Amino acid sequence: LSHARASIAAALVDIDAQAAIDRSLARFDATAQEGRARLHALLEAQSYRLASWRAAADEINWRRFFEVTELAGIRIEEPEVFDAMHATIFRLYREGVIDSVRVDHVDGLSDPRAYCRELQKRLDGLKKERPPSAWTRPWIVVEKILAADEDLRADWKVDGTSGYDFMNEAGALLHDPAGAEPLAAFWAAATLRPADFRTEQSAARRQILAENLAAEFNATARALHRVARADIDTRDIALIAIQRALTELLVQVTVYRTYVDSRGRVPADTEVIVAALRAAHETVRPSDRTVLAWLDHWLGGDLADEDLPDVLPQTATRKQRDERRRAITRFQQLTPPLAAKSVEDTAFYRYGRLISRNEVGSDPGDFALTVDAFHAKCLRRATAFPHAMLALATHDHKRGADTRARLAVLSEMPQRWTATLRRWLTLNTPIAEQGRLVDETVAENTPMTPPAGLAAKAHAVAESAAVPLPEDQLMLMQTLIGAWPLALAGPLDANDAATRDGISAFVERVAAWQEKALRETKRPSDWSMPNAAYEGVCRAFLDRIMDVGASVFAREAAALVASIAPAGALNGLVQAALHLTVPGVPDLYQGTEFWDFSMVDPDNRRPVDFDLRRAALEAAEAPAALLEPWRDGRIKQAVMAKLLALRADKPDLFALGDYQPLVLEGPQAAHGLAFIRRQGADRMLVVVAVHAAALLEGSERPQVEPTRWGDTEVLLPPGTASNAWLDVVTGARRRSVSRRIRVAELLDTLPVAVLRDAARG
């Protein structure tokens, strides 16, 4: 290839050679009929077929990365491919340049378990060649989205996930469960869309299977059909019947994938498939229920489920086993992109009860997590994967950690928030458009389940509407409130140049999010077929409502943000403190040391002002001194710096320490969370405020007045009856009496307290 390139390069400097090349190219001129025929014949002789990019979803015949046809999957399970792909990683590990490996998209592999175990084995084998000062063991984490009741497989021999599960847990903890039903009811009434996320998700799964992943779906169905044809008992099951049954099964799978391998189906996988089969049993044609039972068998089950037709497997030949293995691999490599594209990249943009719960690794249907449930998650991690990575922000997050934290405040005030949204929907929508789009759905008493046909009517007028559909308006309003810059919160002066410039810059950021959000819904716009008219309507709407000189909405939004921002900042400090103190290894995403009010990429990948952060860190101001100017974000960095210093000083406490939830008693016990971590004689006590918006009422700082805690106390475990404690964040000294310590004392300066045993230094 290099020789050919050199020959062409040499020919291009020769006038006669250039003329010859031009004559040859002219023979393949596609603008002439004869040249077009020659060009077609030349292309047909290649080992590929040149095709329109629009054909990829239907006809692509290689495994790709989601929908990205430029990224083809490779067979990493082949030893020579594994060696070639990891040569640089192994060299860097051997030289001590790296100590750990993060495996991206592990569910895309044919056999994640085998891959992870082989990676661990190979890295272990290189330990003796590493520099003496290097870590003695490799640290491996995998990017894996876990369902609410799903555990990472212990036999993969990895240290844990890359942390989306913690991002979900921390976010859910900040949401008040009391807001779930009122917000869902309003969403359904105002938009005529489902109140529950599962319905939206199922519809998205069907659409993605039929459109975006049609080629992968058909390849899986054909693989299963070959299995059927290889057995005399099933050879007459038609491909179309398999496609129908497979669709229903895939729609009902609740996890990213199963992990059936040469060992067969383990109980965790059986539970997933059986649950999906039972749900699919209710939606398939009666005649296809037998096909479902065979799918169960072909995909790793030994017997049909007792609730399905009684179909027993037959003795398999080697060919049948090979075909079955290929079909299982196809199925298991289809479910991850289906989950990602239908949930994160479609349903998340269609469902807007409260978009702070529409985050990677989260299920918007699981609105909140109680304090007890959060403790249970931490205990489980401490036992099973104490060195798992913990994330609050990533390059893929839908909203920054502090954007989510501010929006979570709205769950504590659902009546006020829905009344505000009802006003804004009316305010921003011309009277004529209100009737056409929402058919009086902004009325307070609209039933939770709208009459059939109204949703279709709303979408039918989308292209001719003067304003966005109600769901797109509500998504936009939430985005504006969540990401609104603190410098613009409060009264807006339309005559102030800095205000106008700030609003303009913010609108451009939101407009980029808006375009992506509209296309990700895949209705009424899409990446493959952008609806320029509707997108134009939505952009014009954004510009109009954010016109500070003329818009009532902009002024009211700025005022609302100012009123909830202290509670949002309190939430941000709380989740930052938990991130650095609970079991696991915190991953700090660049730029999030200050407030992170980012939106989805590319907004979350903007350049970071590291000089500003470095200067603030070097100033080493005490967190308490930064409480007054909290809006600039330095207080968050200061708290994080104190906790990172503690981690550096007590590495064993964080790497090996246990986790013990503590009970709060008193009038505001529901607004606090506390735990102790212990390793040997070292102890660390953590106390934070949760769901504190009501306690902050009237405050302009992210700090609860101590008197509002009343006599609320933390109950400490045995051995701490009269302990002396040092708050590493504020420097304050505390003392527990009779195994009790008052929250008003612990949180008198900041909404977080992290204390170490003062006697231990």
Side-chain angles (χ1 to χ4, degrees):
L1 182 61
S2 59
H3 177 71
R5 287 175 177 168
S7 298
I8 293 173
L12 289 176
V13 299
D14 184 298
I15 295 177
D16 293 336
Q18 286 186 21
I21 291 173
D22 289 341
R23 287 193 300 272
S24 296
L25 291 177
R27 298 182 66 247
F28 297 91
D29 182 3
T31 61
Q33 184 173 352
E34 188 176 347
R36 181 182 178 88
R38 288 197 186 98
L39 181 60
H40 176 68
L42 176 64
L43 292 173
E44 287 293 287
Q46 307 307 308
S47 58
Y48 58 86
R49 179 173 69 84
L50 196 65
S52 166
W53 64 271
R54 295 185 187 280
D58 297 321
E59 294 189 324
I60 196 168
N61 61 352
W62 70 84
R63 195 167 64 85
R64 54 184 173 160
F65 178 78
F66 296 120
E67 300 172 283
V68 184
T69 54
E70 292 87 352
L71 297 177
I74 61 173
R75 300 191 66 186
I76 203 73
E77 64 272 17
E78 298 293 336
E80 61 272 22
V81 178
F82 183 95
D83 290 340
M85 287 299 300
H86 292 78
T88 299
I89 292 174
F90 291 154
R91 176 179 61 79
L92 295 174
Y93 184 74
R94 185 187 302 112
E95 295 172 356
V97 177
I98 64 172
D99 299 307
S100 59
V101 177
R102 178 189 188 274
V103 182
D104 209 26
H105 294 281
V106 70
D107 277 342
L109 301 173
S110 62
D111 190 343
R113 174 182 179 273
Y115 169 82
C116 291
R117 291 170 69 94
E118 180 64 19
L119 179 61
Q120 180 71 257
K121 175 184 174 183
R122 297 291 290 274
L123 292 175
D124 278 338
L126 296 173
K127 287 191 298 187
K128 59 183 179 296
E129 301 179 43
R130 283 165 57 78
S133 60
W135 284 4
T136 57
R137 63 178 292 273
W139 184 58
I140 302 175
V141 293
V142 296
E143 187 191 43
K144 164 67 182 166
I145 304 297
L146 295 169
D149 55 353
E150 183 184 11
D151 294 316
L152 183 65
R153 304 299 167 91
D155 62 353
W156 285 14
K157 293 191 173 182
V158 298
D159 290 284
T161 73
S162 59
Y164 288 126
D165 42 339
F166 174 77
M167 190 156 73
N168 168 48
E169 293 157 14
L173 173 69
L174 300 181
H175 286 71
D176 188 341
E181 290 305 317
L183 294 178
F186 176 81
W187 169 258
T191 66
L192 305 178
R193 300 207 61 80
D196 66 294
F197 179 70
R198 186 62 187 271
T199 300
E200 202 71 83
Q201 175 182 285
S202 295
R205 279 179 170 266
R206 293 183 188 280
Q207 181 176 346
I208 295 298
L209 280 175
E211 298 175 7
N212 305 65
L213 298 176
E216 287 83 353
F217 170 77
N218 289 330
T220 304
R222 287 194 297 270
L224 288 163
H225 189 230
R226 286 193 293 272
V227 175
R229 293 294 298 273
D231 190 332
I232 192 172
D233 291 334
T234 57
R235 61 180 300 176
D236 287 336
I237 296 179
L239 174 61
I240 189 69
I242 290 175
Q243 290 174 326
R244 288 194 303 265
L246 180 62
T247 296
E248 299 307 312
L249 178 61
L250 287 166
V251 166
Q252 301 298 339
V253 173
T254 58
V255 298
Y256 259 58
R257 66 167 284 172
T258 52
Y259 303 96
V260 178
D261 55 21
S262 58
R263 302 169 303 158
R265 187 191 288 169
V266 298
D269 292 327
T270 298
E271 184 178 342
V272 168
I273 294 297
V274 167
L277 285 165
R278 284 176 173 161
H281 186 265
E282 302 302 316
T283 60
V284 298
R285 299 179 181 183
S287 59
D288 287 339
R289 289 172 181 169
T290 298
V291 183
L292 271 181
W294 278 109
L295 287 179
D296 179 27
H297 168 53
W298 295 331
L299 295 174
D302 294 324
L303 298 174
D305 185 79
E306 62 183 8
D307 292 337
L308 299 176
D310 185 19
V311 180
L312 298 177
Q314 305 296 311
T315 302
T317 65
R318 179 169 183 173
K319 177 182 178 182
Q320 288 172 316
R321 289 195 299 270
D322 289 344
E323 292 285 8
R324 183 183 179 190
R325 189 177 298 111
R326 281 190 284 270
I328 290 172
T329 299
R330 283 280 190 181
F331 177 82
Q332 294 186 147
Q333 287 185 317
L334 172 58
T335 57
L338 172 60
K341 296 306 296 182
S342 63
V343 179
E344 297 171 26
D345 294 341
T346 304
F348 273 12
Y349 293 91
R350 294 180 178 179
Y351 183 76
R353 169 169 57 181
L354 196 58
I355 58 176
S356 44
R357 292 300 294 135
N358 298 16
E359 189 52 81
V360 183
S362 303
D363 180 351
D366 294 331
F367 188 74
L369 199 65
T370 65
V371 167
D372 288 344
F374 180 81
H375 283 318
K377 297 283 187 182
C378 291
L379 282 167
R380 199 165 187 171
R381 185 180 299 108
T383 301
F385 294 101
H387 304 131
M389 184 181 279
L390 310 177
L392 278 182
T394 76
H395 62 291
D396 279 334
H397 68 235
K398 304 300 183 186
R399 285 156 200 94
D402 299 301
T403 305
R404 300 192 303 269
R406 182 190 291 168
L407 287 171
V409 176
L410 301 175
S411 70
E412 301 180 59
M413 41 182 275
Q415 285 73 30
R416 176 186 171 190
W417 174 235
T418 54
T420 300
L421 287 176
R422 188 175 292 110
R423 168 174 165 74
W424 287 345
L425 281 172
T426 305
L427 182 71
N428 295 331
T429 307
I431 297 298
E433 291 300 318
Q434 290 178 32
R436 298 178 70 225
L437 281 174
V438 297
D439 225 37
E440 297 182 348
T441 58
V442 294
E444 284 195 43
N445 298 319
T446 304
M448 203 166 159
T449 304
L454 288 185
K457 175 183 176 182
H459 282 275
V461 300
E463 292 200 29
S464 61
V467 295
L469 293 167
E471 55 263 42
D472 293 328
Q473 290 190 45
L474 293 178
M475 290 278 202
L476 173 63
M477 291 171 191
Q478 291 184 60
T479 298
L480 289 167
I481 295 302
W484 196 282
L486 284 169
L488 299 171
L492 295 177
D493 182 358
N495 297 316
D496 178 63
T499 297
R500 293 197 306 270
D501 290 345
I503 288 289
S504 178
F506 180 46
V507 167
E508 289 304 313
R509 289 175 53 210
V510 174
W513 164 85
Q514 185 184 56
E515 179 183 81
K516 179 168 184 170
L518 292 172
R519 294 180 182 182
E520 293 286 23
T521 64
K522 301 169 183 63
R523 59 184 187 196
S525 194
D526 197 347
W527 288 108
S528 60
M529 293 287 288
N531 186 333
Y534 183 66
E535 289 181 7
V537 164
C538 292
R539 176 57 199 263
F541 179 83
L542 170 61
D543 290 337
R544 177 167 62 83
I545 67 172
M546 290 297 287
D547 182 346
V548 295
S551 172
V552 174
F553 167 82
R555 295 194 294 274
E556 291 188 357
L560 176 65
V561 171
S563 71
I564 67 171
L570 181 147
N571 282 345
L573 293 175
V574 166
Q575 66 181 357
L578 294 174
H579 188 206
L580 296 171
T581 55
V582 301
V585 180
D587 175 35
L588 304 179
Y589 186 60
Q590 59 181 8
T592 60
E593 303 86 1
F594 287 2
W595 301 126
D596 174 21
F597 297 116
S598 61
M599 292 167 279
V600 73
D601 62 279
D603 193 66
N604 60 14
R605 304 176 190 181
R606 288 173 294 150
V608 177
D609 189 342
F610 288 110
D611 289 339
L612 183 64
R613 287 159 175 77
R614 187 178 297 110
L617 193 60
E618 291 172 352
E621 292 190 66
L626 298 172
L627 185 61
E628 199 62 39
W630 62 270
R631 290 171 181 81
D632 62 19
R634 290 180 297 154
I635 186 173
K636 179 182 175 184
Q637 183 191 57
V639 170
M640 292 171 62
K642 293 288 186 182
L643 298 181
L644 287 170
L646 177 62
R647 293 185 68 95
D649 187 42
K650 298 288 184 181
D652 288 346
L653 174 63
F654 290 92
L656 306 173
D658 66 4
Y659 180 93
Q660 183 175 354
L662 300 179
V663 174
L664 279 73
E665 289 185 349
Q668 306 300 342
H671 296 288
L673 176 151
F675 60 88
I676 273 187
R677 297 199 66 187
R678 296 179 298 186
Q679 168 60 22
D682 284 324
R683 290 184 176 88
M684 176 182 68
L685 169 63
V686 178
V687 181
V688 299
V690 294
H691 304 163
L695 300 180
L696 278 180
E697 189 173 356
S699 175
E700 295 184 357
R701 304 187 305 171
Q703 168 60 13
V704 177
E705 289 296 323
T707 56
R708 295 189 176 181
W709 288 105
D711 294 328
T712 307
E713 295 178 315
V714 178
L715 276 61
L716 301 176
T720 55
S722 58
N723 270 38
W725 299 90
L726 174 65
D727 190 329
V728 300
V729 179
T730 65
R733 292 185 176 273
R734 313 294 187 192
R735 180 170 292 278
S736 53
V737 179
S738 300
R739 291 175 49 196
R740 291 174 177 268
I741 190 165
R742 298 179 69 242
V743 174
E745 180 183 353
L746 292 172
L747 302 183
D748 65 345
T749 305
L750 294 173
V752 301
V754 180
L755 306 99
R756 62 193 298 180
D757 192 332
R760 297 286 299 170

